[in-house]
Amino acid sequence: MKRILVYTSIVPMGEYDIWGTIDYSQLYQVNKTYYDGKCRNTGNKVWMQGIISELSTPENQLVYYDPKMTFEQINANFDMVLFSTANLFCRKFLDEMEEYSSFFSEIKIPVFVISCGAQANSYDDLHNLCADIRKPATKFIDTIYNTGGEFGLRGYFTKEVFDCLMSNTAVVTGCPSLFQNGRTLKISEEKLDSHLIKPVFNGSLPFKNDVFKEYPDSIYIDQNFYFNELYAPSFWDNIEISNHGIYQLIKKYKLQYLNLLVSNRLKLFVDIPEWRSFLQQNGYNLSLGSRIHGNIMALLSGIPAIIYAQDTRTREMAEFYNIPYFLPEHKFQKSVYDIYQNADFRKFNLEFSSKYDAFENFLIQHGIVEKMNTDNIFWSKQAPIKYPNESDPVKEEIASALRKHPFLYSSMNSFIILDEKIRWKLTH
């Protein structure tokens, strides 16, 4: 039996709790206690769930890191350490790289860093990024190599960053999140008529028009931003239901997202199997937006996904997997349906199994698995949880107030132009 230390602490109902049953009534308090009330990106659980499912094989015993563990205990009781991280190689994580270097310099068993990546606004930023992160990044890379470990990189931009920083043997493996259904994942190449499209949106949306009005059955899936609005007890009870109060809400949320909040078309799933069940059971057939793991969740549900690649992280993953994407320079130039019509999944379907095999070979080569687990251990771990009660009298009052002012349903561009007129009308 191989003992693998997963360098991740598990807080019940916390950022990486992929095992527990989520009690939504307690979620806000847990978030407040452990994360200063700020919701962590729920997409992080998608890639953590992926690697844990894939490594859950008969020969492996996976143990999660406990801060009480000493270096002596780790070195004596484990065969290797698995560190799964995302955007470590970027300007905002300089201190974290130093801290990890200090920690792993005490580890005497191999450390394998899986799915790590660099992040910048664009590929053109590569050399400036390397200059800014060189000292802590090379120290961290050296530290991992000194343990006898290796790096599995998220995409080819990250590999270019590594090559710019120093000599290395790191391998591009992609992100384990997309491999958790096995090697046979396929996305339909059939195109639907416009009136049959039922989209789910996420992240940034580069459209001039209100796509939620254009597709009235669509929803928006958030990953952290609207946590308080959805899960804080009595959040909506403190809202002033008046013309002035409604105006302040529109200023805070922008009109289209306020409409989504009060009409229960904005979701945030903390339980990953529940997220997938929701997508599969409600007939969604297109995912679009800038959230990479929001789109990966759609792909894992068999739904075509198109990525708005607004930084190197999303772009390099889209390119590695051949997921259709478009760039910020195409912002506002096309409609949702135009983008959908031009999306081509043939290369994704053709090459996915070889990407899977390459990742599995990386794990086998380094003695991490004998063969990857293909039977996802999470999809059947529980029945879908009952969603939090979405019937809220205050939200219904706000929705009613918005309906009484039809001019508020104009496009956001018009709303900005008419801002002073709306201000006057709502406050007089």
Side-chain angles (χ1 to χ4, degrees):
M1 178 68 72
K2 191 186 297 107
R3 285 175 57 82
I4 301 176
L5 177 64
V6 180
Y7 185 63
T8 303
S9 293
I10 301 292
V11 172
M13 292 196 293
E15 180 178 12
Y16 294 111
D17 184 6
I18 53 180
W19 296 105
T21 297
I22 302 301
D23 181 349
Y24 282 99
S25 67
Q26 301 297 316
L27 195 58
Y28 177 76
Q29 189 56 49
V30 169
N31 213 54
K32 193 173 179 182
T33 301
Y34 290 101
Y35 305 116
D36 298 323
K38 296 178 181 179
C39 180
R40 299 301 180 98
N41 178 3
T42 56
N44 291 344
K45 292 179 77 172
V46 181
W47 54 260
M48 178 57 67
Q49 176 181 287
I51 191 63
I52 296 304
S53 179
E54 290 147 14
L55 268 55
S56 294
T57 60
E59 74 273 11
N60 285 344
Q61 181 183 4
L62 304 179
V63 179
Y64 295 93
Y65 174 70
D66 185 327
K68 295 177 183 176
M69 291 176 176
T70 66
F71 294 120
E72 291 77 12
Q73 288 174 323
I74 294 172
N75 292 326
N77 294 305
F78 295 96
D79 298 295
M80 64 181 67
V81 177
L82 181 81
F83 181 27
S84 190
T85 184
N87 309 330
L88 184 60
F89 296 94
C90 67
R91 294 174 176 92
K92 72 175 181 177
F93 290 143
L94 301 180
D95 291 341
E96 283 80 354
M97 283 187 267
E98 291 282 2
E99 290 169 10
Y100 290 138
S101 295
S102 176
F103 180 89
F104 288 117
S105 67
E106 302 292 335
I107 301 299
K108 309 305 179 187
I109 55 178
V111 177
F112 295 99
V113 184
I114 306 295
S115 187
C116 68
Q119 184 160 5
N121 290 330
S122 75
Y123 287 176
D124 295 335
D125 194 26
L126 187 149
H127 292 289
N128 288 334
L129 173 66
C130 291
D132 291 342
I133 69 171
R134 184 175 301 280
K135 185 176 178 180
T138 53
K139 182 179 178 182
F140 174 69
I141 295 169
D142 268 334
T143 300
I144 298 303
Y145 280 140
N146 287 338
T147 70
E150 185 55 279
F151 291 85
L153 307 181
R154 191 177 56 205
Y156 294 111
F157 175 77
T158 299
K159 176 60 173 170
E160 287 188 62
V161 169
F162 264 55
D163 291 344
C164 176
L165 289 171
M166 61 184 292
S167 176
N168 67 89
T169 55
V171 178
V172 177
T173 60
C175 178
S177 57
L178 199 48
F179 295 131
Q180 60 187 295
N181 283 5
R183 68 192 302 278
T184 60
L185 181 63
K186 300 283 185 187
I187 300 300
S188 173
E189 296 169 20
E190 177 187 3
K191 296 298 183 184
L192 302 174
D193 291 339
S194 179
H195 69 281
L196 296 176
I197 297 296
K198 186 178 180 182
V200 51
F201 297 104
N202 60 71
S204 298
L205 299 175
F207 302 104
K208 282 184 178 178
N209 297 328
D210 187 341
V211 293
F212 300 101
K213 284 181 67 178
E214 184 179 357
Y215 295 96
D217 292 328
S218 65
I219 60 164
Y220 181 89
I221 295 187
D222 179 40
Q223 291 178 203
N224 60 341
F225 188 75
Y226 293 102
F227 177 79
N228 287 334
E229 288 81 349
L230 293 170
Y231 293 114
S234 307
F235 177 88
W236 293 97
D237 292 346
N238 300 320
I239 302 299
E240 176 191 353
I241 308 298
S242 66
N243 281 344
H244 178 72
I246 298 297
Y247 172 70
Q248 294 303 318
L249 285 175
I250 294 170
K251 270 184 69 176
K252 180 177 180 180
Y253 295 111
K254 304 304 181 186
L255 183 60
Q256 60 180 186
Y257 291 99
L258 177 59
N259 273 320
L260 294 175
L261 279 165
V262 299
S263 61
N264 299 320
R265 291 172 63 192
L266 197 154
K267 313 285 184 182
L268 191 162
F269 294 98
V270 181
D271 183 272
I272 305 306
E274 180 188 17
W275 187 349
R276 182 171 180 257
S277 295
F278 179 86
L279 292 173
Q280 290 180 322
Q281 294 171 12
N282 287 280
Y284 298 104
N285 50 31
L286 174 64
S287 174
L288 196 153
S290 62
R291 288 286 201 173
I292 186 66
H293 285 101
N295 288 305
I296 283 177
M297 280 301 299
L299 294 168
L300 291 171
S301 306
I303 298 169
I306 304 168
I307 295 169
Y308 174 41
Q310 61 178 2
D311 60 17
T312 61
R313 177 188 182 223
T314 49
R315 181 175 179 178
E316 73 170 346
M317 286 183 65
E319 289 177 341
F320 177 79
Y321 285 111
N322 304 303
I323 303 168
Y325 72 94
F326 59 105
L327 298 170
E329 49 260 41
H330 302 130
K331 193 174 182 179
F332 300 145
Q333 292 179 6
K334 295 181 179 179
S335 67
V336 169
Y337 194 66
D338 286 338
I339 292 169
Y340 166 74
Q341 282 286 79
N342 291 325
D344 188 345
F345 283 89
R346 287 175 296 182
K347 197 171 183 183
F348 175 92
N349 291 332
L350 183 65
E351 296 186 4
F352 184 80
S353 60
S354 64
K355 305 282 188 187
Y356 179 94
D357 293 343
F359 180 56
E360 182 177 53
N361 288 338
F362 173 85
L363 298 178
I364 293 171
Q365 176 188 350
H366 294 288
I368 302 171
V369 297
E370 294 176 8
K371 184 176 176 59
M372 266 205 314
N373 175 44
T374 58
D375 183 17
N376 190 295
I377 64 175
F378 295 99
W379 295 149
S380 60
K381 78 178 176 72
Q382 61 190 20
I385 298 170
K386 203 170 184 179
Y387 306 131
N389 184 9
E390 294 183 329
S391 176
D392 187 313
V394 178
K395 286 165 70 174
E396 291 169 8
E397 280 190 69
I398 295 170
S400 176
L402 289 173
R403 285 193 294 270
K404 289 176 183 177
H405 296 283
F407 59 86
L408 294 179
Y409 283 85
S410 60
S411 71
M412 286 311 303
N413 285 345
S414 299
F415 175 72
I416 292 168
I417 293 168
L418 295 171
D419 185 76
E420 292 305 317
K421 291 183 181 178
I422 292 175
R423 182 194 299 272
W424 187 89
K425 193 160 187 176
L426 287 177
T427 54
H428 288 73

